[in-house]
Each structure stands twice: as structure tokens, then as C-alpha cells.
Amino acid sequence: MKTNSEYKNLALQSLEGNWGKAAIASLITFVILELCGSSPALLSDPVPSMVGQGLVTILLLPLAWGYYVFFLRLIRREDIGYSNLFDGFGDYLRILLAELLKGIYELLWMLLLIIPGFVKAYSYAMTEFILKDHPEMNGEAAICESMRLMKGHKMQLFLLDLSMIGWFLLSLLTLGIGFLFLVPYLYSAHAHFYEDLKSQEVNI
């Protein structure tokens, strides 16, 4: 495996010339998720509002998946457009159920114990990429494959995320505008991490 500095450099190289596209993709995704989750119709009454926002968030999970996978396509130098953000809706039930199952597993582990739940979240971190590369896999199979790939690599990915903390704080100071660039940087680094995990499999 490469070092985290190398993953970050690879992410920057992949984003070179693509920062505008990445920022617009982020803006599209964030605006849709925010507007749909905060629809005035849902905010008229607090309890129905919470239920409604939760339901909308669940129904839009394929959009969140499409955004994450957008950066796997980007680092692979595929011909991508903003329509790719909505690819998850072309395989709606599989992606929705997989993301929902992953979220349930993470929640249950967190309710059991915070630290084991945190560790499990990193075990499942490659699920979205695996779902993209293996359309024959359902959610359970993709989660299991992610756990297998991430065995022995969870701490490194955690440290990669932790190394972004400075950029996270800076993004907060920009009233959130910085996240339009930070999230693509982070997700591109994750995508390179995934590609490296796969290459390790080939070399074994």
C-alpha cells in the first residue's frame, strides 16, 4: 500500500483540471439533498417534519452513492458528466437497499459501543465502490467484500481522513464553501485507496 501522502498527491493530480467540475458536482448534490430534506411542506409540523426528512434522506441514498462513485470514475479518467451523479437511480433498489443495510449495520454497532461502531464503519468504507464495480453483488455481499478488503487497512484509512482535519476546519470558516473542494479531495483519495487495495489483490 502507498502512504497517505501519496494518496493525497494522487487525488490532487486526478483533480487537476477537474476542480471546477468536482465543485459543481458537489454543489448539485448538496443543494438537492438540502432542498429536498428541508422542503417547506415538511417543515410545517416538527414531528412529521423529522419523519419526512428522514424518509427523503433514505430515498435519496442513491444520489449520495452516485456522488461518491463520481470520483472513482474521475480518477479512472472516464468520460463523466453531471448526469453520472444520478447513476444510482438506474439501479435504484439494489443501491438503496445496500446503502440502507450499511447504515443500519453502522447504527447498530454504534448503539452497541462507539469505538467498535467506528471501526466497523471503516470496514464498510469500500462498499460503494464495490457496488459500482460488481453490479452482480447485493448489499450484503458488497459489505462483506469491503470488510475483506479493509482487513488490516482500517487504521490507515482513518489516518488519511484525520490528516484532512485542518482542511475541514478551514472549510467551516468559509461558511461551508470550502466543502465543495474538500469533499472531492477526500473522496478522490478514498478512490485511489480502493484502487490500491484491488491492486494488492492482483499481486498476491
Side-chain angles (χ1 to χ4, degrees), residues 8-84:
K8 291 163 75 173
N9 287 334
L10 285 170
L12 291 173
Q13 290 171 22
S14 296
L15 287 162
E16 187 176 352
N18 289 303
W19 282 107
K21 179 179 286 188
I24 292 173
S26 299
L27 183 62
I28 291 170
T29 304
F30 297 168
V31 166
I32 291 175
L33 291 174
E34 180 63 25
L35 288 181
C36 291
S38 303
S39 170
L42 295 176
L43 298 175
S44 58
D45 197 341
V47 175
S49 171
M50 291 177 63
V51 174
Q53 288 183 43
L55 180 60
V56 169
T57 299
I58 290 172
L59 293 176
L60 288 177
L61 284 174
L63 174 60
W65 175 86
Y67 175 63
Y68 195 57
V69 170
F70 183 89
F71 296 100
L72 181 62
R73 294 179 179 277
L74 184 144
I75 71 156
R76 289 175 173 175
R77 303 295 181 183
E78 295 181 11
D79 185 17
I80 54 173
Y82 303 121
S83 62
N84 290 119

Side-chain angles (χ1 to χ4, degrees), residues 40-203:
L42 295 176
L43 298 175
S44 58
D45 197 341
V47 175
S49 171
M50 291 177 63
V51 174
Q53 288 183 43
L55 180 60
V56 169
T57 299
I58 290 172
L59 293 176
L60 288 177
L61 284 174
L63 174 60
W65 175 86
Y67 175 63
Y68 195 57
V69 170
F70 183 89
F71 296 100
L72 181 62
R73 294 179 179 277
L74 184 144
I75 71 156
R76 289 175 173 175
R77 303 295 181 183
E78 295 181 11
D79 185 17
I80 54 173
Y82 303 121
S83 62
N84 290 119
L85 295 170
F86 305 95
D87 283 350
F89 292 96
D91 193 6
Y92 188 76
L93 278 180
R94 186 177 74 99
I95 299 301
L96 175 65
L97 292 176
E99 291 295 320
L100 191 56
L101 184 62
K102 178 187 170 187
I104 290 171
Y105 282 168
E106 290 175 347
L107 177 61
L108 290 175
W109 276 104
M110 286 290 185
L111 290 175
L112 181 62
L113 286 169
I114 296 296
I115 293 179
F118 201 64
V119 171
K120 279 296 181 182
Y122 276 92
S123 291
Y124 306 153
M126 299 296 115
T127 301
E128 286 77 11
F129 297 144
I130 292 166
L131 286 168
K132 192 269 181 191
D133 281 345
H134 296 278
E136 78 283 0
M137 284 189 179
N138 60 20
E140 183 68 34
I143 289 170
C144 288
E145 178 63 7
S146 178
M147 291 172 64
R148 189 184 69 81
L149 286 178
M150 287 298 292
K151 188 175 182 180
H153 301 292
K154 294 182 285 294
M155 179 58 72
Q156 185 177 1
L157 186 61
F158 168 71
L159 292 175
L160 174 60
D161 290 348
L162 191 63
S163 70
M164 302 280 193
I165 190 68
W167 292 110
F168 176 83
L169 295 174
L170 185 60
S171 296
L172 289 177
L173 294 176
T174 63
L175 302 178
I177 295 174
F179 287 111
L180 297 178
F181 303 94
L182 173 59
V183 179
Y185 182 24
L186 178 63
Y187 283 8
S188 295
H190 277 208
H192 279 291
F193 193 93
Y194 169 69
E195 295 286 70
D196 212 9
L197 285 175
K198 288 202 311 172
S199 70
Q200 295 294 310
E201 293 285 297
V202 173
N203 294 328

